Amino acid sequence: MNAAAGSFDGEERRRAAALRPVLYAPAWELIGLFGLVCFYLLAADPGNPETTTRINTIGPMILIALLGGSALRMSLLDPNTIWTALFWLRISVSIYYGVGNLVPVIGDEDTYYAMQAFYPFDDHDISELNLIYAVSLLVMLLSSNLVVSLSRSTSVHDPELQRDREAKGRTLFAVGMAFLAIGGFFKYFFVIPYYFKLSSFVLPESITTIANFTYAAIYLLTVWALEYRRSALPLVIAFVILDITIGILDLQKYAVLISLIIFALAFLRSRITFFKIVVIGAALAGSYAVLVPIVELSRFQFNNKFGIDAPAGFADRFAIVTNSFSVAQSYVQSQNDTPGTRNSALSRISYVNQSSYAIDQYDSGTPGNSLDDIFAVFIPRLFWPDKPIITQIASDYNYAITGNPLSQTSPGLFADAYWDAGWQGVIIATFCLGILFSLLSLYSLRVMHKGQWLYFPIVLLAMKVGYRVDGYLVADMVGGSVILYATRFLLEGIVEFPYDMFLPIARGRALPATPAPAE
């Protein structure tokens, strides 16, 4: 009996230790990033434009290969890593600062001049940004590895999880429906009327957070349908279509894309293959290509007809969006027939111009002030009615560059850190971000492995922190973390206690364990 127990404990320790290697940045990734930094420093030749252009082309390609390869490694070792902040850090940096930094270098003249019209930049600005991004990633991953190595191993295998299949299905369905009911109530009765300008009340961030529980419902109910009740999948798809439709009527690309992404990720729960990744990636890219012109054309028509921030109901919005569908068909066709339009669409993921403004401001002796409201984030507006609007900086930043206060933009996390305190700010900020991302990733993995679906909304919030590298340090990282931990407190203190009282299988004690990391 003791021998068996000892053998079981050894197996537990082995499985628990497996949580950490999938989150470690491998040696080849760190060496590659260090080599990339050296490449930028040693190969730089400001007096030779051809050399600078060559460096600005090769460098981002290396960055994409390193981060893309590491993200693929994570997902193949353990499918649950696709829900971690460290996974989405690599994906988002590859897109925004890898592909994005290649756009002005390999794009056509129309794309280049369109970006220059927003804010003028040169090859030296791109080189400086490339160096900042490489150093930032290296510091983040080093500090992340340090935290992961010091973290306490947590078991990913619980004998109590080995319950009958029917109980596991009931749990997925019950928790998914609970999130659908709670999130749907706040989303469709409070958040949507607010965004449609049909209500005049000030929407607290806490209401928006609870409304986003619908995203957790999409994942849990999709998994339940795929694994336990295939006949229910059409109903789940119908709800996803409804949610996407609402997002389009709200003229918000993010709301549509996040629903599609979470729905697609449910198909990767059990096993990730290269074929699945290619198919899902192509489907999401195609959806984005169609969505962008529809939303932009709809916004243009909406502003012409109603004005900015005017109230408009479902019927008016539906008519505008329907008309945009037909107009967008010719727009998408022009992307295939007209040189330049395809690359112009790519310029939307490039932050070279707006990031260059932040770099130029600091280098010219005018540092930024984006950290001024950092302590205000921790005080609820309930206790401070005149609390500054943390997200106002995005409008102010756009106004400083273009003179237009009606739109928003940002320099991205790493350029934001440089804007405030130069290289010192970059090192300090990215070291702290590495700690944050590793802690969130460890937490997300534990939730996914133990099947603690009650905490899945926190996993989604952590995932959002991971892919918001295009945001601001205070508004998106500090503010996002405050919302995340407040949500955790809400679930633990308000929801979980009665949930345990009436349904003891909560908190993962009888929930389905997801696959352990590959050995």
Side-chain angles (χ1 to χ4, degrees):
M1 185 69 177
N2 290 337
S7 175
F8 181 78
D9 289 343
E11 179 70 10
E12 284 295 285
R13 286 192 295 271
R14 184 178 65 82
R15 289 178 176 272
L19 260 180
R20 294 187 299 206
V22 296
L23 292 181
Y24 275 125
W28 57 263
E29 183 180 23
L30 297 175
I31 294 172
L33 286 173
F34 179 76
L36 184 59
V37 171
C38 294
F39 171 69
Y40 285 139
L41 292 174
L42 299 177
D45 186 1
N48 190 333
E50 292 184 2
T51 300
T52 302
T53 299
R54 190 176 301 113
I55 293 172
N56 290 342
T57 303
I58 297 173
M61 290 181 177
I62 295 175
L63 183 70
I64 295 169
L66 289 171
L67 298 183
S70 188
L72 180 61
R73 165 190 170 272
M74 292 175 69
S75 63
L76 294 179
L77 283 175
D78 183 355
N80 295 289
T81 56
I82 63 176
W83 298 102
T84 64
L86 286 173
F87 175 85
W88 285 99
L89 167 70
R90 291 171 167 89
I91 297 297
S92 56
V93 169
S94 297
I95 293 173
Y96 293 131
Y97 306 143
V99 177
N101 276 31
L102 286 173
V103 171
V105 178
I106 65 176
D108 61 15
E109 290 186 358
D110 292 340
T111 301
Y112 182 78
Y113 289 127
M115 295 180 66
Q116 289 282 350
F118 184 87
Y119 181 77
F121 58 90
D122 55 29
D123 287 342
H124 173 72
D125 292 321
I126 300 176
S127 297
E128 190 170 6
L129 286 171
N130 284 332
L131 179 60
I132 290 173
Y133 298 152
V135 171
S136 297
L137 262 295
L138 181 59
V139 174
M140 278 192 71
L141 295 181
L142 285 172
S143 67
S144 171
N145 275 11
L146 176 62
V147 173
V148 172
S149 66
L150 296 176
S151 64
R152 180 175 61 87
S153 293
T154 302
S155 174
V156 299
H157 178 77
D158 188 337
E160 292 189 23
L161 294 177
Q162 307 306 313
R163 299 291 178 86
D164 62 278
R165 174 180 171 84
E166 186 178 351
K168 297 174 184 178
R170 285 199 304 267
T171 300
L172 272 172
F173 179 75
V175 179
M177 288 301 296
F179 284 138
L180 178 61
I182 296 171
F185 174 78
F186 284 97
K187 182 171 188 176
Y188 298 117
F189 288 96
F190 292 93
V191 175
I192 296 303
Y194 175 80
Y195 285 145
F196 280 22
K197 310 300 179 184
L198 300 177
S199 60
S200 57
F201 64 90
V202 177
L203 185 70
E205 188 64 32
S206 57
I207 298 297
T208 303
T209 301
I210 297 174
N212 289 338
F213 283 7
T214 54
Y215 298 133
I218 288 175
Y219 176 76
L220 297 178
L221 293 177
T222 303
V223 170
W224 169 75
L226 288 172
E227 298 183 4
Y228 300 96
R229 191 68 61 85
R230 286 273 180 168
S231 60
L233 188 58
L235 293 176
V236 178
I237 293 175
F239 172 71
V240 174
I241 293 174
L242 171 64
D243 202 60
I244 290 173
T245 302
I246 295 296
I248 294 176
L249 293 179
D250 192 24
L251 310 183
Q252 294 291 333
K253 295 188 291 289
Y254 168 82
V256 176
L257 289 173
I258 193 64
S259 296
L260 286 173
I261 289 172
I262 290 174
F263 177 71
L265 291 181
F267 290 82
L268 299 177
R269 167 178 151 83
S270 58
R271 184 168 177 262
I272 292 180
T273 63
F274 184 74
F275 177 75
K276 281 186 178 181
I277 293 175
V278 171
V279 171
I280 290 176
L284 292 175
S287 299
Y288 178 80
V290 174
L291 177 66
V292 168
I294 290 174
V295 171
E296 292 188 350
L297 288 169
S298 296
R299 286 177 179 173
F300 178 78
Q301 294 183 56
F302 183 89
N303 291 337
N304 280 345
K305 184 174 182 179
F306 299 104
I308 298 174
D309 290 336
F314 285 90
D316 293 327
R317 291 172 179 270
F318 186 80
I320 289 175
V321 171
T322 301
N323 182 60
S324 296
F325 266 101
S326 58
V327 177
Q329 289 179 356
S330 59
Y331 179 93
V332 173
Q333 181 64 36
S334 71
Q335 288 186 309
N336 297 323
D337 298 339
T338 305
T341 54
R342 185 161 45 248
N343 284 326
S344 295
L346 283 177
S347 67
R348 301 184 182 282
I349 63 173
S350 179
Y351 281 74
V352 169
N353 40 12
Q354 52 258 54
S355 297
S356 294
Y357 175 80
I359 305 303
D360 291 345
Q361 286 293 294
Y362 182 84
D363 289 345
S364 63
T366 310
N369 59 351
S370 66
L371 299 180
D372 287 357
D373 294 327
I374 188 169
F375 296 108
V377 173
F378 298 93
I379 305 175
R381 192 169 297 277
L382 176 66
F383 304 114
W384 187 3
D386 296 329
K387 172 183 173 179
I389 300 176
I390 307 301
T391 56
Q392 179 62 33
I393 188 173
S395 299
D396 295 341
Y397 191 75
N398 192 79
Y399 177 74
I401 300 175
T402 66
N404 177 18
L406 301 178
S407 186
Q408 297 182 329
T409 191
S410 71
L413 295 183
F414 308 139
D416 185 17
Y418 187 94
W419 183 35
D420 282 301
W423 279 108
Q424 180 181 2
V426 170
I427 300 300
I428 294 175
T430 53
F431 184 85
C432 294
L433 287 175
I435 295 174
L436 173 65
F437 278 46
S438 58
L439 291 175
L440 294 180
S441 297
L442 285 165
Y443 179 85
S444 295
L445 266 190
R446 285 195 288 267
V447 169
M448 297 303 294
H449 277 300
K450 291 190 173 185
Q452 295 175 310
W453 303 122
L454 187 62
Y455 296 130
F456 190 67
I458 305 175
V459 173
L460 293 182
L461 289 173
M463 173 181 160
K464 182 179 180 181
V465 170
Y467 63 68
R468 280 314 310 267
V469 296
D470 61 327
Y472 287 92
L473 290 171
V474 172
D476 296 288
M477 295 297 105
V478 181
S481 299
V482 169
I483 293 172
L484 186 152
Y485 283 102
T487 304
R488 181 178 177 181
F489 172 79
L490 174 71
L491 291 177
E492 289 179 350
I494 299 177
V495 178
E496 185 175 337
F497 177 73
Y499 192 81
D500 275 345
M501 291 290 292
F502 297 104
L503 189 57
I505 61 174
R507 306 184 71 180
R509 289 197 295 273
L511 303 183
T514 51
E519 302 297 336

